Amino acid sequence: PADQTEARLQEALALTGISELRCRTLSSLSGGQKQKVAIAAIAALKPEILLLDEPTGELDPKSSLQIFEMLRMLNRDFGITILVVEQKIMLLSAYVEKLMILHKGKLCFFDETRQVLRHGAELLEIGVNCPRIVTLANHLYQEGLYHGPLPLCVEEAAEMIKAVDFRA
């Protein structure tokens, strides 16, 4: 509604941490800033569901992290269901509750992220490269050297390494 436009605009810019970009031209923004503006524009509409196709596709790792952090906040604080099509599995896996893998138009896996990534060999067969820490963890499971949770980020991988039973 027109009477809510300014308030929603200010709220969306503040939510996404880009209030300072309001008066800048789109051509003067970086790729990451443009992505944030696009997400802020969508957030201003207050959708129930947000579907994004490779929102970090052309971004550097730092900008990609910022986008995923922003999406996490929109989900957590505003209850927006967010569906992301993404090839950066390593980065994505640390942010999502569930992972769906499609291959040639068919659903291959759909479960909690850690459960899907335990199928490393099958994923590799269909062309999905698991994060290196997941591949390492899966090998350690197979060798009986590790029995803890599948790591999804560097910090969890460090904990995994500390827990490896080299006596097995």
Side-chain angles (χ1 to χ4, degrees):
D3 64 329
Q4 295 179 20
T5 302
E6 182 62 27
R8 284 196 185 190
L9 173 63
Q10 288 180 18
E11 179 184 31
L13 290 171
L15 284 174
T16 54
I18 58 169
S19 296
E20 75 281 358
L21 302 180
R22 181 174 180 166
C23 295
R24 295 204 22 212
T25 62
L26 199 54
S27 62
S28 72
L29 303 178
S30 70
Q33 290 171 325
K34 287 177 183 175
Q35 288 293 71
K36 289 177 184 178
V37 167
I39 292 169
I42 294 166
L45 298 173
K46 298 191 175 189
E48 289 182 33
I49 299 173
L50 180 57
L51 174 61
L52 301 166
D53 186 11
E54 297 202 34
T56 65
E58 296 183 29
L59 302 181
D60 60 71
K62 182 179 178 185
S63 296
S64 295
L65 282 171
Q66 290 173 342
I67 295 297
F68 282 128
E69 286 293 340
M70 182 187 313
L71 294 174
R72 174 186 279 167
M73 182 269 306
L74 289 172
N75 171 258
R76 180 190 63 228
D77 297 348
F78 298 94
I80 299 173
T81 298
I82 301 176
L83 302 170
V84 178
V85 176
E86 183 64 67
Q87 291 188 33
K88 296 177 182 174
I89 300 292
M90 174 63 190
L91 189 55
L92 181 67
S93 64
Y95 287 91
V96 298
E97 293 175 18
K98 293 192 176 190
L99 197 58
M100 178 185 296
I101 305 291
L102 302 173
H103 179 63
K104 296 184 179 181
K106 294 187 179 183
L107 179 63
C108 297
F109 297 97
F110 180 53
D111 205 338
E112 292 181 7
T113 303
R114 292 178 205 278
Q115 295 304 319
V116 171
L117 293 176
R118 286 205 185 246
H119 298 275
E122 296 106 315
L123 291 170
L124 192 57
E125 284 179 25
I126 62 172
V128 176
N129 291 317
C130 284
R132 289 183 186 113
I133 58 174
V134 169
T135 301
L136 174 61
N138 283 332
H139 286 299
L140 292 171
Y141 286 131
Q142 290 171 355
E143 297 297 321
L145 299 173
Y146 178 66
H147 307 287
L150 191 73
L152 297 179
C153 63
V154 173
E155 293 79 16
E156 291 178 4
E159 291 302 313
M160 174 188 70
I161 296 301
K162 290 177 189 174
V164 171
D165 181 5
F166 290 104
R167 295 171 289 157

